[in-house]
Amino acid sequence: MRRHIARAWTGAVALAAGAAVLPLAAPGSAVADSVVIGGGPVQVSEHPWVVAIASRDRFGGTRSGQFCGGAVVSRTTVLTAAHCVDSGVLGVPLSEVRDLKVIAGRNDLRTSEGDEITVSNVRTNPEYNSSTNSGDAALLTLAKPLPESYVIPVAGRGDAAYRAGTIAAVYGWGDTTGGGQYANSLHAAHVHVLADTVCEEAYPGSADGKYLAATMVCAGERQGGKDACQGDSGGPLVAQGRLIGLVSWGSGCGRPGRPGVYTRASDVAKILRIRG
Ligand code: 4AZ
């Protein structure tokens, strides 16, 4: 999230520098966010609802311009984090980004496999609060529909998948070490849904954000080591075949006592009027 962006940006600059052509105007202040620490490679063909959010103009072409993740929630809509489309991450207002894309079916970002689809509209959750990070979600409309088989159902309120102790998986192309090593291919890690009290105690309110159980989900491992990280933001947290969260924020990556915080998918589904 926002306050980690300076660190994330370090990695992105390194990536952009590897590109043959640097963007004319590199994003000034930020990049995207965080994936997967302590996980391993997976095939996007088996998890086709995981997509990359990309802009080559803003982030360079080496890794297809990827800077966040997203989840396909209908043939023409993708959920991502609100903070992924704010100017803090993009470096310019969203309206100035002319090549915002959703990339589906591309395992390795250095290739051209799969589909690159233009984003025709962006709706940020009107209830997003960038101080607490509550409601960190945005809905992207695609210019061209994806196959129905790519769509993942969104968990509803009170879904059993939200119970503490449930095993979930988080997916992304983000930092795999916490040190700015962005993945070229999709990674995933298994984490447990944790009791809200764990995150309420870890994040009672600071410059990083404040854990709010109504709009957030707490997930990780008590001993740390498995987590989302910079570049994974907006990407899916999935349990029992349903989308339960979006990578949103946390203090560092994989630190014991510092679980990952996810946007509660059932809460934003209601606001953005999508399934759930
Ligand atoms: C980020 O900066 C970020 N470990 C995302 C997820 C987590 C931490 C930071 C969770 O986008």
Side-chain angles (χ1 to χ4, degrees):
M1 53 20 148
R2 185 154 56 84
R3 295 150 205 94
H4 290 286
I5 279 163
R7 183 156 55 84
W9 182 226
T10 312
V13 167
L15 290 166
V21 179
L22 274 168
L24 286 177
S29 54
V31 129
D33 322 52
S34 83
V35 116
V36 176
I37 303 237
V42 295
Q43 292 299 318
V44 76
S45 55
E46 289 171 24
H47 314 281
W49 24 265
V50 188
V51 294
I53 314 299
S55 162
R56 288 186 179 79
D57 284 357
R58 302 313 301 162
F59 301 101
T62 311
R63 292 169 60 264
S64 298
Q66 185 271 346
F67 64 96
C68 270
V72 181
V73 294
S74 86
R75 291 188 64 193
T76 53
T77 54
V78 162
L79 263 185
T80 187
H83 81 262
C84 286
V85 290
D86 74 17
S87 55
V89 163
L90 297 172
V92 294
L94 175 63
S95 58
E96 289 177 25
V97 180
R98 306 250 170 258
D99 70 337
L100 191 66
K101 298 268 169 64
V102 161
I103 303 179
R106 182 170 303 168
N107 221 66
D108 187 329
L109 296 171
R110 296 167 301 185
T111 72
S112 58
E113 64 189 335
D115 289 307
E116 272 192 35
I117 303 176
T118 297
V119 173
S120 57
N121 189 51
V122 177
R123 184 146 45 109
T124 295
N125 179 3
E127 296 183 14
Y128 172 51
N129 179 327
S130 61
S131 303
T132 58
N133 298 319
S134 182
D136 187 10
L139 195 64
L140 312 183
T141 305
L142 308 181
K144 215 184 76 188
L146 287 164
E148 181 67 37
S149 60
Y150 284 33
V151 175
I152 187 164
V154 179
R157 269 178 79 183
D159 193 302
Y162 283 117
R163 262 186 228 139
T166 301
I167 291 179
V170 57
Y171 300 82
W173 288 268
D175 191 344
T176 55
T177 64
Q181 288 288 99
Y182 287 73
N184 290 315
S185 63
L186 182 63
H187 282 61
H190 286 109
V191 290
H192 285 88
V193 175
L194 302 173
D196 290 320
T197 50
V198 176
C199 275
E200 283 164 353
E201 279 164 29
Y203 304 117
S206 74
D208 280 343
K210 176 179 166 70
Y211 187 80
L212 296 165
T215 59
M216 301 177 188
V217 181
C218 183
E221 299 297 282
R222 284 201 176 264
Q223 72 280 14
K226 291 204 229 169
D227 198 1
C229 199
Q230 317 291 331
D232 292 328
S233 276
L237 179 70
V238 173
Q240 299 176 2
R242 298 182 291 283
L243 181 73
I244 62 169
L246 305 170
V247 176
S248 178
W249 64 286
S251 178
C253 307
R255 292 167 56 194
R258 292 288 177 268
V261 184
Y262 296 79
T263 311
R264 189 171 283 266
S266 60
D267 177 66
V268 297
K270 153 195 99 187
I271 297 158
L272 294 170
R273 276 186 250 245
I274 54 177
R275 297 192 245 181

